[in-house]
Short mmCIF file of all heavy atoms in Angstrom, two decimals:
data_model
loop_
_atom_site.label_atom_id
_atom_site.label_comp_id
_atom_site.label_asym_id
_atom_site.label_seq_id
_atom_site.Cartn_x
_atom_site.Cartn_y
_atom_site.Cartn_z
N MET K 1 0.83 -1.20 0.00
CA MET K 1 0.00 0.00 0.00
C MET K 1 0.87 1.25 0.00
O MET K 1 1.85 1.34 0.72
CB MET K 1 -0.90 0.01 1.23
CG MET K 1 -2.18 -0.80 1.01
SD MET K 1 -3.11 -0.91 2.54
CE MET K 1 -3.02 -2.66 2.83
N ASP K 2 0.49 2.21 -0.78
CA ASP K 2 1.24 3.46 -0.86
C ASP K 2 0.47 4.56 -0.15
O ASP K 2 -0.56 5.00 -0.60
CB ASP K 2 1.44 3.81 -2.34
CG ASP K 2 2.36 5.01 -2.48
OD1 ASP K 2 2.79 5.57 -1.46
OD2 ASP K 2 2.63 5.40 -3.62
N GLU K 3 1.01 4.98 0.96
CA GLU K 3 0.31 5.98 1.76
C GLU K 3 0.30 7.35 1.11
O GLU K 3 -0.48 8.22 1.47
CB GLU K 3 0.94 6.06 3.15
CG GLU K 3 0.66 4.81 3.97
CD GLU K 3 1.20 4.95 5.39
OE1 GLU K 3 1.48 6.06 5.80
OE2 GLU K 3 1.33 3.92 6.06
N LEU K 4 1.16 7.53 0.15
CA LEU K 4 1.22 8.83 -0.51
C LEU K 4 0.04 9.04 -1.45
O LEU K 4 -0.36 10.16 -1.71
CB LEU K 4 2.53 8.96 -1.30
CG LEU K 4 3.80 9.06 -0.44
CD1 LEU K 4 5.02 9.06 -1.34
CD2 LEU K 4 3.79 10.32 0.41
N THR K 5 -0.51 7.96 -1.94
CA THR K 5 -1.61 8.08 -2.89
C THR K 5 -2.97 8.06 -2.22
O THR K 5 -3.98 8.30 -2.83
CB THR K 5 -1.56 6.96 -3.94
OG1 THR K 5 -1.58 5.70 -3.26
CG2 THR K 5 -0.29 7.04 -4.76
N GLY K 6 -2.97 7.74 -0.94
CA GLY K 6 -4.24 7.75 -0.24
C GLY K 6 -4.28 6.75 0.89
O GLY K 6 -3.29 6.11 1.20
N ASN K 7 -5.45 6.62 1.47
CA ASN K 7 -5.64 5.69 2.58
C ASN K 7 -6.66 4.63 2.18
O ASN K 7 -7.57 4.90 1.39
CB ASN K 7 -6.17 6.44 3.80
CG ASN K 7 -5.18 7.50 4.27
OD1 ASN K 7 -4.17 7.19 4.86
ND2 ASN K 7 -5.48 8.75 3.98
N THR K 8 -6.49 3.45 2.72
CA THR K 8 -7.44 2.38 2.42
C THR K 8 -8.61 2.45 3.39
O THR K 8 -8.44 2.31 4.60
CB THR K 8 -6.75 1.01 2.53
OG1 THR K 8 -5.64 0.98 1.63
CG2 THR K 8 -7.73 -0.10 2.16
N CYS K 9 -9.78 2.66 2.84
CA CYS K 9 -10.99 2.74 3.65
C CYS K 9 -11.31 1.37 4.24
O CYS K 9 -11.28 0.36 3.53
CB CYS K 9 -12.15 3.22 2.78
SG CYS K 9 -13.73 3.20 3.62
N ILE K 10 -11.56 1.34 5.55
CA ILE K 10 -11.83 0.05 6.20
C ILE K 10 -13.24 -0.43 5.93
O ILE K 10 -13.57 -1.57 6.23
CB ILE K 10 -11.60 0.13 7.72
CG1 ILE K 10 -12.53 1.15 8.36
CG2 ILE K 10 -10.15 0.44 8.03
CD1 ILE K 10 -12.57 1.05 9.87
N ILE K 11 -14.08 0.42 5.36
CA ILE K 11 -15.46 0.02 5.08
C ILE K 11 -15.57 -0.57 3.68
O ILE K 11 -15.99 -1.71 3.51
CB ILE K 11 -16.42 1.21 5.19
CG1 ILE K 11 -16.30 1.86 6.57
CG2 ILE K 11 -17.86 0.76 4.93
CD1 ILE K 11 -16.70 0.95 7.71
N CYS K 12 -15.17 0.18 2.67
CA CYS K 12 -15.33 -0.28 1.30
C CYS K 12 -14.04 -0.89 0.75
O CYS K 12 -14.04 -1.54 -0.29
CB CYS K 12 -15.81 0.86 0.41
SG CYS K 12 -14.65 2.23 0.27
N GLY K 13 -12.92 -0.67 1.46
CA GLY K 13 -11.66 -1.27 1.04
C GLY K 13 -10.99 -0.56 -0.11
O GLY K 13 -9.94 -0.99 -0.59
N GLU K 14 -11.56 0.55 -0.55
CA GLU K 14 -10.98 1.30 -1.65
C GLU K 14 -9.96 2.31 -1.13
O GLU K 14 -10.04 2.77 0.00
CB GLU K 14 -12.07 2.02 -2.43
CG GLU K 14 -12.98 1.06 -3.18
CD GLU K 14 -14.01 1.83 -3.98
OE1 GLU K 14 -13.68 2.90 -4.52
OE2 GLU K 14 -15.16 1.37 -4.05
N THR K 15 -9.02 2.65 -1.98
CA THR K 15 -8.03 3.64 -1.60
C THR K 15 -8.48 5.02 -2.03
O THR K 15 -8.67 5.28 -3.21
CB THR K 15 -6.68 3.32 -2.25
OG1 THR K 15 -6.27 2.02 -1.84
CG2 THR K 15 -5.62 4.31 -1.82
N LYS K 16 -8.68 5.88 -1.06
CA LYS K 16 -9.16 7.24 -1.33
C LYS K 16 -8.24 8.25 -0.67
O LYS K 16 -7.55 7.95 0.30
CB LYS K 16 -10.59 7.40 -0.78
CG LYS K 16 -11.58 6.36 -1.28
CD LYS K 16 -12.12 6.75 -2.65
CE LYS K 16 -13.16 5.73 -3.11
NZ LYS K 16 -14.38 5.79 -2.31
N GLN K 17 -8.27 9.45 -1.23
CA GLN K 17 -7.46 10.52 -0.64
C GLN K 17 -8.27 11.31 0.39
O GLN K 17 -7.71 11.82 1.36
CB GLN K 17 -6.98 11.46 -1.74
CG GLN K 17 -5.94 10.81 -2.64
CD GLN K 17 -5.21 11.83 -3.50
OE1 GLN K 17 -5.33 13.03 -3.29
NE2 GLN K 17 -4.47 11.35 -4.47
N ASP K 18 -9.57 11.43 0.14
CA ASP K 18 -10.40 12.23 1.04
C ASP K 18 -11.19 11.34 1.98
O ASP K 18 -11.81 10.37 1.55
CB ASP K 18 -11.38 13.08 0.22
CG ASP K 18 -10.61 14.06 -0.67
OD1 ASP K 18 -9.64 14.66 -0.18
OD2 ASP K 18 -11.00 14.20 -1.84
N GLY K 19 -11.15 11.71 3.25
CA GLY K 19 -11.89 10.94 4.23
C GLY K 19 -11.51 11.38 5.63
O GLY K 19 -10.87 12.40 5.83
N ILE K 20 -11.92 10.57 6.60
CA ILE K 20 -11.65 10.92 7.99
C ILE K 20 -10.97 9.75 8.68
O ILE K 20 -11.02 8.62 8.21
CB ILE K 20 -12.94 11.27 8.75
CG1 ILE K 20 -13.94 10.10 8.66
CG2 ILE K 20 -13.56 12.55 8.18
CD1 ILE K 20 -15.12 10.26 9.59
N HIS K 21 -10.35 10.05 9.81
CA HIS K 21 -9.72 9.01 10.61
C HIS K 21 -10.49 8.84 11.92
O HIS K 21 -10.73 9.81 12.63
CB HIS K 21 -8.27 9.37 10.92
CG HIS K 21 -7.38 9.26 9.72
ND1 HIS K 21 -6.79 8.08 9.34
CD2 HIS K 21 -7.02 10.17 8.79
CE1 HIS K 21 -6.09 8.29 8.24
NE2 HIS K 21 -6.21 9.54 7.88
N ILE K 22 -10.90 7.62 12.20
CA ILE K 22 -11.59 7.31 13.44
C ILE K 22 -10.88 6.12 14.10
O ILE K 22 -10.68 5.09 13.47
CB ILE K 22 -13.07 6.94 13.20
CG1 ILE K 22 -13.82 8.16 12.64
CG2 ILE K 22 -13.71 6.45 14.49
CD1 ILE K 22 -15.28 7.91 12.40
N VAL K 23 -10.50 6.31 15.36
CA VAL K 23 -9.80 5.26 16.08
C VAL K 23 -8.60 4.78 15.26
O VAL K 23 -8.36 3.60 15.11
CB VAL K 23 -10.73 4.08 16.41
CG1 VAL K 23 -10.16 3.28 17.58
CG2 VAL K 23 -12.13 4.53 16.74
N SER K 24 -7.89 5.70 14.69
CA SER K 24 -6.69 5.44 13.90
C SER K 24 -6.97 4.71 12.59
O SER K 24 -6.07 4.31 11.88
CB SER K 24 -5.64 4.67 14.70
OG SER K 24 -5.96 3.31 14.78
N GLU K 25 -8.25 4.55 12.26
CA GLU K 25 -8.60 3.90 10.99
C GLU K 25 -9.14 4.95 10.04
O GLU K 25 -9.64 6.00 10.44
CB GLU K 25 -9.67 2.82 11.22
CG GLU K 25 -9.28 1.80 12.24
CD GLU K 25 -7.92 1.21 11.96
OE1 GLU K 25 -7.55 1.08 10.79
OE2 GLU K 25 -7.21 0.89 12.92
N PHE K 26 -9.06 4.64 8.75
CA PHE K 26 -9.50 5.59 7.73
C PHE K 26 -10.85 5.20 7.14
O PHE K 26 -11.11 4.04 6.85
CB PHE K 26 -8.45 5.67 6.61
CG PHE K 26 -8.86 6.57 5.48
CD1 PHE K 26 -8.77 7.94 5.61
CD2 PHE K 26 -9.33 6.02 4.30
CE1 PHE K 26 -9.16 8.77 4.56
CE2 PHE K 26 -9.72 6.84 3.24
CZ PHE K 26 -9.63 8.22 3.38
N ILE K 27 -11.68 6.21 6.99
CA ILE K 27 -12.98 6.00 6.35
C ILE K 27 -13.12 7.06 5.26
O ILE K 27 -12.94 8.25 5.51
CB ILE K 27 -14.13 6.15 7.36
CG1 ILE K 27 -13.95 5.15 8.51
CG2 ILE K 27 -15.47 5.96 6.67
CD1 ILE K 27 -14.92 5.39 9.65
N CYS K 28 -13.41 6.62 4.05
CA CYS K 28 -13.49 7.56 2.94
C CYS K 28 -14.75 8.42 3.03
O CYS K 28 -15.67 8.14 3.78
CB CYS K 28 -13.44 6.81 1.61
SG CYS K 28 -14.95 5.91 1.21
N ASP K 29 -14.75 9.47 2.21
CA ASP K 29 -15.86 10.41 2.22
C ASP K 29 -17.20 9.74 1.99
O ASP K 29 -18.19 10.05 2.64
CB ASP K 29 -15.63 11.47 1.15
CG ASP K 29 -14.80 12.64 1.68
OD1 ASP K 29 -14.53 12.66 2.89
OD2 ASP K 29 -14.43 13.51 0.88
N ALA K 30 -17.22 8.82 1.05
CA ALA K 30 -18.47 8.15 0.70
C ALA K 30 -19.03 7.38 1.88
O ALA K 30 -20.22 7.48 2.19
CB ALA K 30 -18.25 7.21 -0.49
N CYS K 31 -18.16 6.63 2.55
CA CYS K 31 -18.60 5.84 3.69
C CYS K 31 -18.90 6.74 4.89
O CYS K 31 -19.79 6.44 5.68
CB CYS K 31 -17.56 4.80 4.04
SG CYS K 31 -17.36 3.53 2.78
N GLU K 32 -18.17 7.83 4.99
CA GLU K 32 -18.44 8.77 6.07
C GLU K 32 -19.82 9.37 5.90
O GLU K 32 -20.60 9.49 6.85
CB GLU K 32 -17.39 9.88 6.08
CG GLU K 32 -17.59 10.84 7.25
CD GLU K 32 -16.98 12.22 6.99
OE1 GLU K 32 -16.34 12.40 5.96
OE2 GLU K 32 -17.20 13.09 7.83
N ALA K 33 -20.14 9.73 4.67
CA ALA K 33 -21.45 10.29 4.37
C ALA K 33 -22.54 9.27 4.71
O ALA K 33 -23.59 9.61 5.26
CB ALA K 33 -21.53 10.66 2.90
N GLU K 34 -22.24 8.02 4.38
CA GLU K 34 -23.19 6.94 4.68
C GLU K 34 -23.38 6.82 6.19
O GLU K 34 -24.49 6.64 6.67
CB GLU K 34 -22.65 5.63 4.10
CG GLU K 34 -23.60 4.47 4.24
CD GLU K 34 -24.74 4.56 3.24
OE1 GLU K 34 -24.57 5.20 2.19
OE2 GLU K 34 -25.81 4.01 3.54
N MET K 35 -22.27 6.94 6.91
CA MET K 35 -22.31 6.80 8.36
C MET K 35 -23.07 7.96 8.99
O MET K 35 -23.90 7.76 9.87
CB MET K 35 -20.88 6.76 8.91
CG MET K 35 -20.83 6.46 10.39
SD MET K 35 -19.16 6.10 10.93
CE MET K 35 -18.37 7.68 10.69
N VAL K 36 -22.80 9.16 8.51
CA VAL K 36 -23.49 10.34 9.04
C VAL K 36 -24.98 10.23 8.74
O VAL K 36 -25.82 10.58 9.56
CB VAL K 36 -22.92 11.63 8.41
CG1 VAL K 36 -23.78 12.84 8.80
CG2 VAL K 36 -21.48 11.84 8.88
N HIS K 37 -25.27 9.72 7.57
CA HIS K 37 -26.66 9.54 7.16
C HIS K 37 -27.35 8.53 8.08
O HIS K 37 -28.53 8.65 8.37
CB HIS K 37 -26.71 9.06 5.71
CG HIS K 37 -28.09 9.00 5.14
ND1 HIS K 37 -28.80 10.14 4.83
CD2 HIS K 37 -28.89 7.96 4.86
CE1 HIS K 37 -30.00 9.78 4.37
NE2 HIS K 37 -30.07 8.47 4.37
N THR K 38 -26.58 7.56 8.50
CA THR K 38 -27.11 6.50 9.35
C THR K 38 -27.16 6.93 10.82
O THR K 38 -27.85 6.33 11.62
CB THR K 38 -26.23 5.23 9.24
OG1 THR K 38 -26.05 4.93 7.87
CG2 THR K 38 -26.88 4.04 9.92
N ASP K 39 -26.41 7.99 11.11
CA ASP K 39 -26.26 8.42 12.49
C ASP K 39 -27.53 9.07 13.05
O ASP K 39 -27.58 10.26 13.30
CB ASP K 39 -25.07 9.38 12.59
CG ASP K 39 -24.78 9.77 14.04
OD1 ASP K 39 -25.10 8.98 14.93
OD2 ASP K 39 -24.25 10.87 14.23
N VAL K 40 -28.54 8.27 13.24
CA VAL K 40 -29.80 8.77 13.79
C VAL K 40 -29.69 8.87 15.30
O VAL K 40 -30.16 9.80 15.92
CB VAL K 40 -30.97 7.86 13.41
CG1 VAL K 40 -32.29 8.41 13.95
CG2 VAL K 40 -31.03 7.69 11.90
N GLN K 41 -29.03 7.89 15.88
CA GLN K 41 -28.83 7.90 17.32
C GLN K 41 -27.41 7.47 17.66
O GLN K 41 -26.74 6.80 16.88
CB GLN K 41 -29.85 6.99 17.99
CG GLN K 41 -30.26 5.82 17.12
CD GLN K 41 -31.39 5.02 17.76
OE1 GLN K 41 -31.53 5.01 18.97
NE2 GLN K 41 -32.15 4.35 16.96
N GLU K 42 -26.99 7.87 18.82
CA GLU K 42 -25.61 7.62 19.22
C GLU K 42 -25.32 6.13 19.34
O GLU K 42 -24.24 5.65 19.04
CB GLU K 42 -25.33 8.31 20.56
CG GLU K 42 -23.85 8.55 20.80
CD GLU K 42 -23.61 9.38 22.04
OE1 GLU K 42 -24.16 10.49 22.12
OE2 GLU K 42 -22.89 8.91 22.93
N GLU K 43 -26.31 5.38 19.77
CA GLU K 43 -26.15 3.94 19.91
C GLU K 43 -25.76 3.29 18.58
O GLU K 43 -24.87 2.46 18.50
CB GLU K 43 -27.47 3.31 20.38
CG GLU K 43 -27.38 2.77 21.79
CD GLU K 43 -28.69 2.16 22.25
OE1 GLU K 43 -29.05 1.10 21.73
OE2 GLU K 43 -29.35 2.77 23.10
N LYS K 44 -26.43 3.73 17.53
CA LYS K 44 -26.16 3.19 16.21
C LYS K 44 -24.75 3.55 15.76
O LYS K 44 -24.07 2.78 15.09
CB LYS K 44 -27.18 3.74 15.21
CG LYS K 44 -27.38 2.84 14.02
CD LYS K 44 -28.69 3.17 13.33
CE LYS K 44 -28.99 2.13 12.26
NZ LYS K 44 -30.29 2.35 11.62
N TYR K 45 -24.32 4.73 16.15
CA TYR K 45 -22.99 5.18 15.80
C TYR K 45 -21.94 4.28 16.43
O TYR K 45 -21.00 3.84 15.77
CB TYR K 45 -22.81 6.63 16.28
CG TYR K 45 -21.43 7.17 16.04
CD1 TYR K 45 -21.06 7.62 14.77
CD2 TYR K 45 -20.50 7.25 17.07
CE1 TYR K 45 -19.78 8.11 14.54
CE2 TYR K 45 -19.23 7.75 16.85
CZ TYR K 45 -18.88 8.19 15.59
OH TYR K 45 -17.62 8.68 15.38
N HIS K 46 -22.12 3.98 17.70
CA HIS K 46 -21.18 3.12 18.39
C HIS K 46 -21.20 1.71 17.80
O HIS K 46 -20.17 1.04 17.73
CB HIS K 46 -21.49 3.07 19.89
CG HIS K 46 -21.06 4.33 20.59
ND1 HIS K 46 -19.75 4.73 20.66
CD2 HIS K 46 -21.78 5.28 21.23
CE1 HIS K 46 -19.68 5.88 21.33
NE2 HIS K 46 -20.89 6.24 21.68
N PHE K 47 -22.37 1.26 17.38
CA PHE K 47 -22.48 -0.04 16.75
C PHE K 47 -21.68 -0.04 15.45
O PHE K 47 -20.99 -1.00 15.12
CB PHE K 47 -23.96 -0.34 16.45
CG PHE K 47 -24.15 -1.63 15.69
CD1 PHE K 47 -24.01 -2.85 16.34
CD2 PHE K 47 -24.47 -1.61 14.34
CE1 PHE K 47 -24.20 -4.04 15.63
CE2 PHE K 47 -24.65 -2.79 13.64
CZ PHE K 47 -24.52 -4.00 14.29
N PHE K 48 -21.78 1.06 14.74
CA PHE K 48 -21.05 1.21 13.48
C PHE K 48 -19.55 1.12 13.73
O PHE K 48 -18.82 0.41 13.03
CB PHE K 48 -21.39 2.56 12.86
CG PHE K 48 -21.29 2.57 11.36
CD1 PHE K 48 -22.42 2.73 10.58
CD2 PHE K 48 -20.06 2.41 10.73
CE1 PHE K 48 -22.32 2.73 9.20
CE2 PHE K 48 -19.97 2.41 9.35
CZ PHE K 48 -21.10 2.57 8.59
N ILE K 49 -19.09 1.82 14.74
CA ILE K 49 -17.66 1.79 15.10
C ILE K 49 -17.24 0.37 15.44
O ILE K 49 -16.19 -0.11 15.02
CB ILE K 49 -17.39 2.72 16.29
CG1 ILE K 49 -17.72 4.17 15.93
CG2 ILE K 49 -15.94 2.59 16.76
CD1 ILE K 49 -16.81 4.75 14.88
N HIS K 50 -18.09 -0.31 16.20
CA HIS K 50 -17.79 -1.68 16.59
C HIS K 50 -17.66 -2.57 15.36
O HIS K 50 -16.73 -3.37 15.24
CB HIS K 50 -18.91 -2.21 17.50
CG HIS K 50 -18.72 -3.65 17.90
ND1 HIS K 50 -17.77 -4.04 18.83
CD2 HIS K 50 -19.33 -4.78 17.48
CE1 HIS K 50 -17.84 -5.37 18.96
NE2 HIS K 50 -18.77 -5.83 18.17
N GLN K 51 -18.57 -2.42 14.43
CA GLN K 51 -18.54 -3.20 13.20
C GLN K 51 -17.27 -2.93 12.42
O GLN K 51 -16.63 -3.84 11.90
CB GLN K 51 -19.75 -2.84 12.33
CG GLN K 51 -21.06 -3.35 12.90
CD GLN K 51 -21.10 -4.87 12.95
OE1 GLN K 51 -20.89 -5.46 14.00
NE2 GLN K 51 -21.35 -5.51 11.83
N MET K 52 -16.88 -1.67 12.37
CA MET K 52 -15.68 -1.31 11.63
C MET K 52 -14.45 -1.95 12.25
O MET K 52 -13.55 -2.41 11.54
CB MET K 52 -15.52 0.22 11.62
CG MET K 52 -16.56 0.89 10.77
SD MET K 52 -16.15 2.61 10.50
CE MET K 52 -16.19 3.21 12.17
N LYS K 53 -14.39 -1.97 13.57
CA LYS K 53 -13.24 -2.57 14.23
C LYS K 53 -13.19 -4.08 13.94
O LYS K 53 -12.13 -4.65 13.78
CB LYS K 53 -13.31 -2.32 15.74
CG LYS K 53 -13.20 -0.84 16.06
CD LYS K 53 -12.71 -0.61 17.48
CE LYS K 53 -11.20 -0.62 17.56
NZ LYS K 53 -10.67 -0.21 18.85
N GLN K 54 -14.35 -4.71 13.88
CA GLN K 54 -14.41 -6.13 13.56
C GLN K 54 -13.85 -6.37 12.16
O GLN K 54 -13.04 -7.27 11.93
CB GLN K 54 -15.86 -6.62 13.61
CG GLN K 54 -16.47 -6.58 15.00
CD GLN K 54 -15.74 -7.50 15.97
OE1 GLN K 54 -15.48 -8.64 15.65
NE2 GLN K 54 -15.41 -6.99 17.14
N ILE K 55 -14.27 -5.54 11.23
CA ILE K 55 -13.80 -5.65 9.85
C ILE K 55 -12.30 -5.46 9.79
O ILE K 55 -11.57 -6.20 9.14
CB ILE K 55 -14.50 -4.60 8.96
CG1 ILE K 55 -16.00 -4.93 8.87
CG2 ILE K 55 -13.87 -4.56 7.57
CD1 ILE K 55 -16.82 -3.82 8.25
N TRP K 56 -11.84 -4.45 10.50
CA TRP K 56 -10.41 -4.14 10.50
C TRP K 56 -9.60 -5.30 11.06
O TRP K 56 -8.56 -5.68 10.53
CB TRP K 56 -10.17 -2.87 11.31
CG TRP K 56 -8.74 -2.44 11.30
CD1 TRP K 56 -8.11 -1.73 10.31
CD2 TRP K 56 -7.75 -2.71 12.29
NE1 TRP K 56 -6.79 -1.56 10.66
CE2 TRP K 56 -6.54 -2.14 11.85
CE3 TRP K 56 -7.79 -3.39 13.53
CZ2 TRP K 56 -5.38 -2.21 12.60
CZ3 TRP K 56 -6.61 -3.46 14.26
CH2 TRP K 56 -5.43 -2.88 13.80
N MET K 57 -10.09 -5.88 12.13
CA MET K 57 -9.38 -6.98 12.77
C MET K 57 -9.35 -8.21 11.85
O MET K 57 -8.36 -8.93 11.80
CB MET K 57 -10.03 -7.33 14.11
CG MET K 57 -9.74 -6.27 15.17
SD MET K 57 -10.79 -6.40 16.63
CE MET K 57 -10.01 -7.76 17.46
N GLN K 58 -10.43 -8.42 11.12
CA GLN K 58 -10.48 -9.55 10.20
C GLN K 58 -9.46 -9.37 9.07
O GLN K 58 -8.78 -10.30 8.68
CB GLN K 58 -11.88 -9.67 9.58
CG GLN K 58 -12.88 -10.30 10.53
CD GLN K 58 -14.27 -10.36 9.96
OE1 GLN K 58 -14.48 -10.10 8.78
NE2 GLN K 58 -15.23 -10.70 10.79
N ARG K 59 -9.37 -8.15 8.57
CA ARG K 59 -8.47 -7.86 7.47
C ARG K 59 -7.01 -8.01 7.90
O ARG K 59 -6.14 -8.26 7.07
CB ARG K 59 -8.70 -6.43 6.96
CG ARG K 59 -9.95 -6.30 6.12
CD ARG K 59 -10.27 -4.85 5.88
NE ARG K 59 -11.54 -4.73 5.16
CZ ARG K 59 -11.61 -4.49 3.85
NH1 ARG K 59 -10.53 -4.33 3.16
NH2 ARG K 59 -12.78 -4.42 3.25
N ASN K 60 -6.75 -7.80 9.16
CA ASN K 60 -5.37 -7.83 9.64
C ASN K 60 -5.05 -9.12 10.39
O ASN K 60 -4.01 -9.22 11.01
CB ASN K 60 -5.12 -6.61 10.53
CG ASN K 60 -5.05 -5.34 9.70
OD1 ASN K 60 -4.01 -4.96 9.19
ND2 ASN K 60 -6.20 -4.70 9.53
N ALA K 61 -5.95 -10.05 10.34
CA ALA K 61 -5.75 -11.32 11.07
C ALA K 61 -4.63 -12.11 10.40
O ALA K 61 -4.48 -12.06 9.19
CB ALA K 61 -7.02 -12.13 11.11
ZN1 ZN S 101 -15.16 3.77 1.90
#
């Protein structure tokens, strides 16, 4: 992976330049927008974070 060209989104797995970092992980703009759109309640947000960490751990297993 080339960090100069972008970051690998832990949600969609694509390499993007624009996005945010949460818990040291990268989420691209598209997935961030999806997450914000889904962010109806804080509980759901934390669930989303939990899911992302699971995905990340699987990818790095
Ligand atoms: Zn993404």
Side-chain angles (χ1 to χ4, degrees):
M1 276 174 244
D2 187 358
E3 291 184 17
L4 291 175
T5 57
N7 298 286
T8 302
C9 174
I10 61 167
I11 304 297
C12 64
E14 292 182 37
T15 301
K16 305 278 182 68
Q17 290 194 11
D18 298 317
I20 57 169
H21 288 274
I22 295 181
V23 201
S24 78
E25 305 308 328
F26 177 77
I27 302 171
C28 73
D29 272 353
C31 293
E32 184 204 355
E34 185 75 25
M35 186 169 67
V36 171
H37 187 72
T38 310
D39 185 28
V40 182
Q41 30 186 334
E42 202 173 304
E43 249 180 70
K44 205 161 189 177
Y45 176 78
H46 285 297
F47 176 75
F48 208 113
I49 298 293
H50 177 74
Q51 289 296 101
M52 290 192 298
K53 296 203 85 171
Q54 294 297 313
I55 293 169
W56 183 81
M57 287 166 77
Q58 282 177 10
R59 284 169 185 258
N60 288 272

